[in-house]
PDB file of all heavy atoms in Angstrom:
ATOM      1  N   ASP A 178     -40.872 -29.849 -34.017  1.00 71.00           N
ATOM      2  CA  ASP A 178     -40.089 -28.526 -33.702  1.00 71.00           C
ATOM      3  C   ASP A 178     -40.160 -28.248 -32.240  1.00 71.00           C
ATOM      4  O   ASP A 178     -39.193 -27.860 -31.624  1.00 71.00           O
ATOM      5  CB  ASP A 178     -40.718 -27.405 -34.462  1.00 71.00           C
ATOM      6  CG  ASP A 178     -40.374 -27.503 -36.053  1.00 71.00           C
ATOM      7  OD1 ASP A 178     -39.651 -28.361 -36.368  1.00 71.00           O
ATOM      8  OD2 ASP A 178     -41.090 -26.784 -36.805  1.00 71.00           O
ATOM      9  N   ILE A 179     -41.369 -28.485 -31.638  1.00 69.00           N
ATOM     10  CA  ILE A 179     -41.385 -28.235 -30.203  1.00 69.00           C
ATOM     11  C   ILE A 179     -40.546 -29.218 -29.284  1.00 69.00           C
ATOM     12  O   ILE A 179     -39.887 -28.869 -28.411  1.00 69.00           O
ATOM     13  CB  ILE A 179     -42.889 -28.244 -29.753  1.00 69.00           C
ATOM     14  CG1 ILE A 179     -43.663 -27.140 -30.357  1.00 69.00           C
ATOM     15  CG2 ILE A 179     -43.013 -28.331 -28.189  1.00 69.00           C
ATOM     16  CD1 ILE A 179     -45.162 -27.149 -30.140  1.00 69.00           C
ATOM     17  N   THR A 180     -40.638 -30.508 -29.786  1.00 72.00           N
ATOM     18  CA  THR A 180     -39.739 -31.577 -29.210  1.00 72.00           C
ATOM     19  C   THR A 180     -38.220 -31.112 -29.302  1.00 72.00           C
ATOM     20  O   THR A 180     -37.560 -31.341 -28.337  1.00 72.00           O
ATOM     21  CB  THR A 180     -39.965 -32.845 -29.831  1.00 72.00           C
ATOM     22  OG1 THR A 180     -41.338 -33.200 -29.695  1.00 72.00           O
ATOM     23  CG2 THR A 180     -39.161 -33.929 -29.207  1.00 72.00           C
ATOM     24  N   GLN A 181     -37.900 -30.490 -30.450  1.00 69.00           N
ATOM     25  CA  GLN A 181     -36.502 -30.137 -30.595  1.00 69.00           C
ATOM     26  C   GLN A 181     -36.080 -29.063 -29.520  1.00 69.00           C
ATOM     27  O   GLN A 181     -34.993 -29.015 -28.936  1.00 69.00           O
ATOM     28  CB  GLN A 181     -36.314 -29.532 -31.956  1.00 69.00           C
ATOM     29  CG  GLN A 181     -34.900 -29.190 -32.229  1.00 69.00           C
ATOM     30  CD  GLN A 181     -33.896 -30.394 -32.281  1.00 69.00           C
ATOM     31  OE1 GLN A 181     -34.145 -31.438 -32.815  1.00 69.00           O
ATOM     32  NE2 GLN A 181     -32.790 -30.161 -31.442  1.00 69.00           N
ATOM     33  N   VAL A 182     -37.164 -28.129 -29.311  1.00 65.00           N
ATOM     34  CA  VAL A 182     -36.925 -27.102 -28.234  1.00 65.00           C
ATOM     35  C   VAL A 182     -36.733 -27.744 -26.934  1.00 65.00           C
ATOM     36  O   VAL A 182     -35.834 -27.402 -26.026  1.00 65.00           O
ATOM     37  CB  VAL A 182     -38.092 -26.104 -28.253  1.00 65.00           C
ATOM     38  CG1 VAL A 182     -37.979 -25.069 -27.076  1.00 65.00           C
ATOM     39  CG2 VAL A 182     -38.107 -25.351 -29.512  1.00 65.00           C
ATOM     40  N   ILE A 183     -37.649 -28.842 -26.680  1.00 70.00           N
ATOM     41  CA  ILE A 183     -37.508 -29.536 -25.328  1.00 70.00           C
ATOM     42  C   ILE A 183     -36.122 -30.118 -25.238  1.00 70.00           C
ATOM     43  O   ILE A 183     -35.477 -30.101 -24.177  1.00 70.00           O
ATOM     44  CB  ILE A 183     -38.590 -30.484 -25.239  1.00 70.00           C
ATOM     45  CG1 ILE A 183     -40.003 -29.762 -25.152  1.00 70.00           C
ATOM     46  CG2 ILE A 183     -38.497 -31.350 -23.999  1.00 70.00           C
ATOM     47  CD1 ILE A 183     -41.191 -30.775 -25.256  1.00 70.00           C
ATOM     48  N   ASP A 184     -35.663 -30.811 -26.285  1.00 67.00           N
ATOM     49  CA  ASP A 184     -34.392 -31.344 -26.262  1.00 67.00           C
ATOM     50  C   ASP A 184     -33.220 -30.413 -25.956  1.00 67.00           C
ATOM     51  O   ASP A 184     -32.272 -30.658 -25.161  1.00 67.00           O
ATOM     52  CB  ASP A 184     -34.002 -32.179 -27.535  1.00 67.00           C
ATOM     53  CG  ASP A 184     -34.932 -33.414 -27.707  1.00 67.00           C
ATOM     54  OD1 ASP A 184     -35.387 -33.931 -26.663  1.00 67.00           O
ATOM     55  OD2 ASP A 184     -35.093 -33.849 -28.929  1.00 67.00           O
ATOM     56  N   ASP A 185     -33.347 -29.177 -26.514  1.00 66.00           N
ATOM     57  CA  ASP A 185     -32.442 -28.144 -26.287  1.00 66.00           C
ATOM     58  C   ASP A 185     -32.427 -27.783 -24.756  1.00 66.00           C
ATOM     59  O   ASP A 185     -31.340 -27.591 -24.162  1.00 66.00           O
ATOM     60  CB  ASP A 185     -32.573 -26.998 -27.161  1.00 66.00           C
ATOM     61  CG  ASP A 185     -32.323 -27.214 -28.619  1.00 66.00           C
ATOM     62  OD1 ASP A 185     -31.718 -28.301 -28.910  1.00 66.00           O
ATOM     63  OD2 ASP A 185     -32.733 -26.518 -29.512  1.00 66.00           O
ATOM     64  N   VAL A 186     -33.671 -27.598 -24.319  1.00 66.00           N
ATOM     65  CA  VAL A 186     -33.745 -27.124 -22.909  1.00 66.00           C
ATOM     66  C   VAL A 186     -33.188 -28.222 -21.997  1.00 66.00           C
ATOM     67  O   VAL A 186     -32.396 -27.800 -20.996  1.00 66.00           O
ATOM     68  CB  VAL A 186     -35.201 -26.859 -22.514  1.00 66.00           C
ATOM     69  CG1 VAL A 186     -35.435 -26.615 -21.078  1.00 66.00           C
ATOM     70  CG2 VAL A 186     -35.757 -25.731 -23.245  1.00 66.00           C
ATOM     71  N   THR A 187     -33.428 -29.396 -22.182  1.00 68.00           N
ATOM     72  CA  THR A 187     -32.888 -30.457 -21.236  1.00 68.00           C
ATOM     73  C   THR A 187     -31.351 -30.472 -21.469  1.00 68.00           C
ATOM     74  O   THR A 187     -30.700 -30.937 -20.426  1.00 68.00           O
ATOM     75  CB  THR A 187     -33.478 -31.839 -21.715  1.00 68.00           C
ATOM     76  OG1 THR A 187     -33.255 -32.130 -23.067  1.00 68.00           O
ATOM     77  CG2 THR A 187     -34.925 -31.875 -21.390  1.00 68.00           C
ATOM     78  N   GLY A 188     -30.854 -30.038 -22.535  1.00 63.00           N
ATOM     79  CA  GLY A 188     -29.359 -30.046 -22.728  1.00 63.00           C
ATOM     80  C   GLY A 188     -28.809 -28.644 -22.207  1.00 63.00           C
ATOM     81  O   GLY A 188     -27.574 -28.467 -22.348  1.00 63.00           O
ATOM     82  N   GLY A 189     -29.537 -27.852 -21.708  1.00 62.00           N
ATOM     83  CA  GLY A 189     -29.069 -26.561 -21.208  1.00 62.00           C
ATOM     84  C   GLY A 189     -28.991 -25.482 -22.196  1.00 62.00           C
ATOM     85  O   GLY A 189     -28.607 -24.345 -21.794  1.00 62.00           O
ATOM     86  N   ASP A 190     -29.539 -25.639 -23.347  1.00 64.00           N
ATOM     87  CA  ASP A 190     -29.466 -24.570 -24.423  1.00 64.00           C
ATOM     88  C   ASP A 190     -30.850 -23.892 -24.422  1.00 64.00           C
ATOM     89  O   ASP A 190     -31.871 -24.452 -24.719  1.00 64.00           O
ATOM     90  CB  ASP A 190     -29.254 -25.287 -25.825  1.00 64.00           C
ATOM     91  CG  ASP A 190     -29.114 -24.162 -26.861  1.00 64.00           C
ATOM     92  OD1 ASP A 190     -29.216 -22.999 -26.556  1.00 64.00           O
ATOM     93  OD2 ASP A 190     -28.921 -24.443 -28.036  1.00 64.00           O
ATOM     94  N   LEU A 191     -30.877 -22.641 -23.969  1.00 65.00           N
ATOM     95  CA  LEU A 191     -32.061 -21.857 -23.964  1.00 65.00           C
ATOM     96  C   LEU A 191     -32.264 -20.719 -25.066  1.00 65.00           C
ATOM     97  O   LEU A 191     -33.114 -19.932 -24.983  1.00 65.00           O
ATOM     98  CB  LEU A 191     -32.221 -21.258 -22.547  1.00 65.00           C
ATOM     99  CG  LEU A 191     -32.125 -22.106 -21.392  1.00 65.00           C
ATOM    100  CD1 LEU A 191     -32.116 -21.300 -20.061  1.00 65.00           C
ATOM    101  CD2 LEU A 191     -33.149 -23.163 -21.346  1.00 65.00           C
ATOM    102  N   ASP A 192     -31.412 -20.879 -26.110  1.00 63.00           N
ATOM    103  CA  ASP A 192     -31.456 -19.830 -27.063  1.00 63.00           C
ATOM    104  C   ASP A 192     -32.488 -20.015 -28.095  1.00 63.00           C
ATOM    105  O   ASP A 192     -32.952 -19.055 -28.668  1.00 63.00           O
ATOM    106  CB  ASP A 192     -29.969 -19.797 -27.774  1.00 63.00           C
ATOM    107  CG  ASP A 192     -28.943 -19.355 -26.730  1.00 63.00           C
ATOM    108  OD1 ASP A 192     -29.215 -18.558 -25.897  1.00 63.00           O
ATOM    109  OD2 ASP A 192     -27.730 -19.694 -26.974  1.00 63.00           O
ATOM    110  N   ARG A 193     -32.899 -21.209 -28.392  1.00 69.00           N
ATOM    111  CA  ARG A 193     -33.879 -21.484 -29.438  1.00 69.00           C
ATOM    112  C   ARG A 193     -35.296 -20.988 -29.013  1.00 69.00           C
ATOM    113  O   ARG A 193     -35.749 -21.270 -27.878  1.00 69.00           O
ATOM    114  CB  ARG A 193     -34.015 -22.991 -29.740  1.00 69.00           C
ATOM    115  CG  ARG A 193     -34.854 -23.243 -30.989  1.00 69.00           C
ATOM    116  CD  ARG A 193     -35.040 -24.808 -31.095  1.00 69.00           C
ATOM    117  NE  ARG A 193     -33.790 -25.540 -31.339  1.00 69.00           N
ATOM    118  CZ  ARG A 193     -33.309 -25.807 -32.571  1.00 69.00           C
ATOM    119  NH1 ARG A 193     -33.910 -25.466 -33.692  1.00 69.00           N
ATOM    120  NH2 ARG A 193     -32.103 -26.538 -32.648  1.00 69.00           N
ATOM    121  N   ASP A 194     -35.955 -20.266 -29.906  1.00 70.00           N
ATOM    122  CA  ASP A 194     -37.220 -19.751 -29.628  1.00 70.00           C
ATOM    123  C   ASP A 194     -38.249 -20.890 -29.747  1.00 70.00           C
ATOM    124  O   ASP A 194     -38.172 -21.721 -30.604  1.00 70.00           O
ATOM    125  CB  ASP A 194     -37.695 -18.578 -30.584  1.00 70.00           C
ATOM    126  CG  ASP A 194     -36.743 -17.409 -30.327  1.00 70.00           C
ATOM    127  OD1 ASP A 194     -36.264 -17.155 -29.242  1.00 70.00           O
ATOM    128  OD2 ASP A 194     -36.604 -16.615 -31.362  1.00 70.00           O
ATOM    129  N   VAL A 195     -39.344 -20.803 -28.913  1.00 67.00           N
ATOM    130  CA  VAL A 195     -40.414 -21.724 -29.032  1.00 67.00           C
ATOM    131  C   VAL A 195     -41.373 -21.369 -30.145  1.00 67.00           C
ATOM    132  O   VAL A 195     -41.931 -20.189 -30.059  1.00 67.00           O
ATOM    133  CB  VAL A 195     -41.214 -21.872 -27.683  1.00 67.00           C
ATOM    134  CG1 VAL A 195     -42.280 -22.898 -27.773  1.00 67.00           C
ATOM    135  CG2 VAL A 195     -40.323 -22.219 -26.573  1.00 67.00           C
ATOM    136  N   PRO A 196     -41.581 -22.162 -31.153  1.00 70.00           N
ATOM    137  CA  PRO A 196     -42.457 -21.822 -32.313  1.00 70.00           C
ATOM    138  C   PRO A 196     -43.879 -22.043 -31.936  1.00 70.00           C
ATOM    139  O   PRO A 196     -44.259 -22.633 -30.940  1.00 70.00           O
ATOM    140  CB  PRO A 196     -42.051 -22.836 -33.394  1.00 70.00           C
ATOM    141  CG  PRO A 196     -41.505 -24.072 -32.690  1.00 70.00           C
ATOM    142  CD  PRO A 196     -40.933 -23.579 -31.393  1.00 70.00           C
ATOM    143  N   PHE A 197     -44.774 -21.508 -32.839  1.00 64.00           N
ATOM    144  CA  PHE A 197     -46.304 -21.760 -32.763  1.00 64.00           C
ATOM    145  C   PHE A 197     -46.979 -21.222 -31.583  1.00 64.00           C
ATOM    146  O   PHE A 197     -48.102 -21.629 -31.247  1.00 64.00           O
ATOM    147  CB  PHE A 197     -46.531 -23.245 -32.934  1.00 64.00           C
ATOM    148  CG  PHE A 197     -45.849 -23.910 -34.088  1.00 64.00           C
ATOM    149  CD1 PHE A 197     -44.868 -24.847 -33.865  1.00 64.00           C
ATOM    150  CD2 PHE A 197     -46.199 -23.668 -35.333  1.00 64.00           C
ATOM    151  CE1 PHE A 197     -44.133 -25.453 -34.842  1.00 64.00           C
ATOM    152  CE2 PHE A 197     -45.549 -24.235 -36.385  1.00 64.00           C
ATOM    153  CZ  PHE A 197     -44.527 -25.135 -36.151  1.00 64.00           C
ATOM    154  N   LEU A 198     -46.345 -20.234 -30.874  1.00 65.00           N
ATOM    155  CA  LEU A 198     -46.922 -19.621 -29.677  1.00 65.00           C
ATOM    156  C   LEU A 198     -48.228 -18.865 -30.128  1.00 65.00           C
ATOM    157  O   LEU A 198     -49.172 -18.726 -29.288  1.00 65.00           O
ATOM    158  CB  LEU A 198     -46.002 -18.739 -29.037  1.00 65.00           C
ATOM    159  CG  LEU A 198     -44.843 -19.361 -28.246  1.00 65.00           C
ATOM    160  CD1 LEU A 198     -43.820 -18.338 -27.696  1.00 65.00           C
ATOM    161  CD2 LEU A 198     -45.401 -20.223 -27.046  1.00 65.00           C
ATOM    162  N   SER A 199     -48.327 -18.403 -31.335  1.00 62.00           N
ATOM    163  CA  SER A 199     -49.507 -17.586 -31.744  1.00 62.00           C
ATOM    164  C   SER A 199     -50.642 -18.439 -32.017  1.00 62.00           C
ATOM    165  O   SER A 199     -51.768 -17.942 -32.202  1.00 62.00           O
ATOM    166  CB  SER A 199     -49.142 -16.689 -32.976  1.00 62.00           C
ATOM    167  OG  SER A 199     -48.662 -17.516 -34.003  1.00 62.00           O
ATOM    168  N   ARG A 200     -50.452 -19.756 -32.300  1.00 72.00           N
ATOM    169  CA  ARG A 200     -51.581 -20.534 -32.532  1.00 72.00           C
ATOM    170  C   ARG A 200     -52.572 -20.683 -31.358  1.00 72.00           C
ATOM    171  O   ARG A 200     -52.080 -20.813 -30.287  1.00 72.00           O
ATOM    172  CB  ARG A 200     -51.067 -21.905 -33.097  1.00 72.00           C
ATOM    173  CG  ARG A 200     -50.486 -21.792 -34.496  1.00 72.00           C
ATOM    174  CD  ARG A 200     -49.928 -23.112 -34.930  1.00 72.00           C
ATOM    175  NE  ARG A 200     -50.874 -24.253 -34.880  1.00 72.00           N
ATOM    176  CZ  ARG A 200     -50.716 -25.405 -35.513  1.00 72.00           C
ATOM    177  NH1 ARG A 200     -49.558 -25.590 -36.347  1.00 72.00           N
ATOM    178  NH2 ARG A 200     -51.564 -26.362 -35.373  1.00 72.00           N
ATOM    179  N   GLU A 201     -53.806 -20.874 -31.540  1.00 62.00           N
ATOM    180  CA  GLU A 201     -54.785 -21.011 -30.536  1.00 62.00           C
ATOM    181  C   GLU A 201     -55.249 -22.369 -30.395  1.00 62.00           C
ATOM    182  O   GLU A 201     -56.298 -22.628 -29.714  1.00 62.00           O
ATOM    183  CB  GLU A 201     -55.920 -19.970 -30.802  1.00 62.00           C
ATOM    184  CG  GLU A 201     -55.567 -18.603 -30.803  1.00 62.00           C
ATOM    185  CD  GLU A 201     -56.611 -17.641 -30.940  1.00 62.00           C
ATOM    186  OE1 GLU A 201     -57.721 -18.113 -31.198  1.00 62.00           O
ATOM    187  OE2 GLU A 201     -56.420 -16.405 -30.927  1.00 62.00           O
ATOM    188  N   ASP A 202     -54.636 -23.322 -31.046  1.00 68.00           N
ATOM    189  CA  ASP A 202     -55.118 -24.747 -30.969  1.00 68.00           C
ATOM    190  C   ASP A 202     -54.236 -25.467 -29.941  1.00 68.00           C
ATOM    191  O   ASP A 202     -53.541 -24.858 -29.218  1.00 68.00           O
ATOM    192  CB  ASP A 202     -55.083 -25.386 -32.313  1.00 68.00           C
ATOM    193  CG  ASP A 202     -53.572 -25.190 -32.960  1.00 68.00           C
ATOM    194  OD1 ASP A 202     -52.690 -24.821 -32.236  1.00 68.00           O
ATOM    195  OD2 ASP A 202     -53.503 -25.596 -34.154  1.00 68.00           O
ATOM    196  N   GLU A 203     -54.325 -26.866 -29.982  1.00 70.00           N
ATOM    197  CA  GLU A 203     -53.573 -27.616 -29.002  1.00 70.00           C
ATOM    198  C   GLU A 203     -52.051 -27.438 -29.106  1.00 70.00           C
ATOM    199  O   GLU A 203     -51.358 -27.455 -28.193  1.00 70.00           O
ATOM    200  CB  GLU A 203     -54.002 -29.119 -29.219  1.00 70.00           C
ATOM    201  CG  GLU A 203     -55.397 -29.486 -28.806  1.00 70.00           C
ATOM    202  CD  GLU A 203     -56.364 -29.034 -29.790  1.00 70.00           C
ATOM    203  OE1 GLU A 203     -55.989 -28.523 -30.909  1.00 70.00           O
ATOM    204  OE2 GLU A 203     -57.645 -29.287 -29.720  1.00 70.00           O
ATOM    205  N   VAL A 204     -51.625 -27.308 -30.422  1.00 71.00           N
ATOM    206  CA  VAL A 204     -50.159 -27.172 -30.588  1.00 71.00           C
ATOM    207  C   VAL A 204     -49.744 -25.811 -29.911  1.00 71.00           C
ATOM    208  O   VAL A 204     -48.611 -25.647 -29.226  1.00 71.00           O
ATOM    209  CB  VAL A 204     -49.861 -27.115 -32.085  1.00 71.00           C
ATOM    210  CG1 VAL A 204     -48.382 -26.665 -32.268  1.00 71.00           C
ATOM    211  CG2 VAL A 204     -50.097 -28.496 -32.667  1.00 71.00           C
ATOM    212  N   GLY A 205     -50.554 -24.793 -30.050  1.00 71.00           N
ATOM    213  CA  GLY A 205     -50.254 -23.482 -29.469  1.00 71.00           C
ATOM    214  C   GLY A 205     -50.261 -23.527 -27.923  1.00 71.00           C
ATOM    215  O   GLY A 205     -49.394 -23.038 -27.206  1.00 71.00           O
ATOM    216  N   ARG A 206     -51.155 -24.450 -27.433  1.00 73.00           N
ATOM    217  CA  ARG A 206     -51.153 -24.602 -25.855  1.00 73.00           C
ATOM    218  C   ARG A 206     -50.007 -25.321 -25.452  1.00 73.00           C
ATOM    219  O   ARG A 206     -49.328 -25.036 -24.432  1.00 73.00           O
ATOM    220  CB  ARG A 206     -52.432 -25.402 -25.547  1.00 73.00           C
ATOM    221  CG  ARG A 206     -53.734 -24.598 -25.769  1.00 73.00           C
ATOM    222  CD  ARG A 206     -54.949 -25.385 -25.331  1.00 73.00           C
ATOM    223  NE  ARG A 206     -54.910 -25.654 -23.928  1.00 73.00           N
ATOM    224  CZ  ARG A 206     -55.794 -26.488 -23.389  1.00 73.00           C
ATOM    225  NH1 ARG A 206     -56.723 -27.156 -24.017  1.00 73.00           N
ATOM    226  NH2 ARG A 206     -55.749 -26.648 -21.917  1.00 73.00           N
ATOM    227  N   LEU A 207     -49.497 -26.408 -26.353  1.00 72.00           N
ATOM    228  CA  LEU A 207     -48.321 -27.148 -25.924  1.00 72.00           C
ATOM    229  C   LEU A 207     -47.103 -26.153 -26.053  1.00 72.00           C
ATOM    230  O   LEU A 207     -46.185 -26.193 -25.179  1.00 72.00           O
ATOM    231  CB  LEU A 207     -48.197 -28.281 -26.913  1.00 72.00           C
ATOM    232  CG  LEU A 207     -46.927 -29.192 -26.706  1.00 72.00           C
ATOM    233  CD1 LEU A 207     -46.829 -29.697 -25.329  1.00 72.00           C
ATOM    234  CD2 LEU A 207     -46.809 -30.300 -27.751  1.00 72.00           C
ATOM    235  N   ALA A 208     -47.065 -25.351 -27.049  1.00 70.00           N
ATOM    236  CA  ALA A 208     -46.044 -24.468 -27.248  1.00 70.00           C
ATOM    237  C   ALA A 208     -45.891 -23.526 -26.064  1.00 70.00           C
ATOM    238  O   ALA A 208     -44.820 -23.167 -25.501  1.00 70.00           O
ATOM    239  CB  ALA A 208     -45.982 -23.707 -28.538  1.00 70.00           C
ATOM    240  N   THR A 209     -47.042 -22.933 -25.623  1.00 78.00           N
ATOM    241  CA  THR A 209     -47.136 -22.204 -24.459  1.00 78.00           C
ATOM    242  C   THR A 209     -46.589 -22.784 -23.198  1.00 78.00           C
ATOM    243  O   THR A 209     -45.876 -22.200 -22.341  1.00 78.00           O
ATOM    244  CB  THR A 209     -48.553 -21.626 -24.166  1.00 78.00           C
ATOM    245  OG1 THR A 209     -49.003 -20.903 -25.367  1.00 78.00           O
ATOM    246  CG2 THR A 209     -48.633 -20.747 -23.032  1.00 78.00           C
ATOM    247  N   ALA A 210     -47.006 -24.114 -23.047  1.00 72.00           N
ATOM    248  CA  ALA A 210     -46.601 -24.837 -21.874  1.00 72.00           C
ATOM    249  C   ALA A 210     -44.978 -25.050 -21.902  1.00 72.00           C
ATOM    250  O   ALA A 210     -44.354 -24.972 -20.840  1.00 72.00           O
ATOM    251  CB  ALA A 210     -47.187 -26.219 -21.779  1.00 72.00           C
ATOM    252  N   VAL A 211     -44.437 -25.388 -23.153  1.00 70.00           N
ATOM    253  CA  VAL A 211     -42.983 -25.492 -23.189  1.00 70.00           C
ATOM    254  C   VAL A 211     -42.215 -24.148 -22.972  1.00 70.00           C
ATOM    255  O   VAL A 211     -41.260 -24.122 -22.307  1.00 70.00           O
ATOM    256  CB  VAL A 211     -42.680 -25.997 -24.594  1.00 70.00           C
ATOM    257  CG1 VAL A 211     -41.191 -26.009 -24.863  1.00 70.00           C
ATOM    258  CG2 VAL A 211     -43.191 -27.490 -24.763  1.00 70.00           C
TER     259      VAL A 211
END
Side-chain angles (χ1 to χ4, degrees):
D178 293 344
I179 293 173
T180 302
Q181 185 63 51
V182 174
I183 295 172
D184 289 339
D185 289 347
V186 171
T187 56
D190 183 1
L191 304 179
D192 293 333
R193 188 190 296 269
D194 293 331
V195 180
F197 310 111
L198 289 172
S199 61
R200 287 176 56 164
E201 298 180 358
D202 55 10
E203 290 79 1
V204 172
R206 294 179 64 188
L207 177 60
T209 300
V211 171

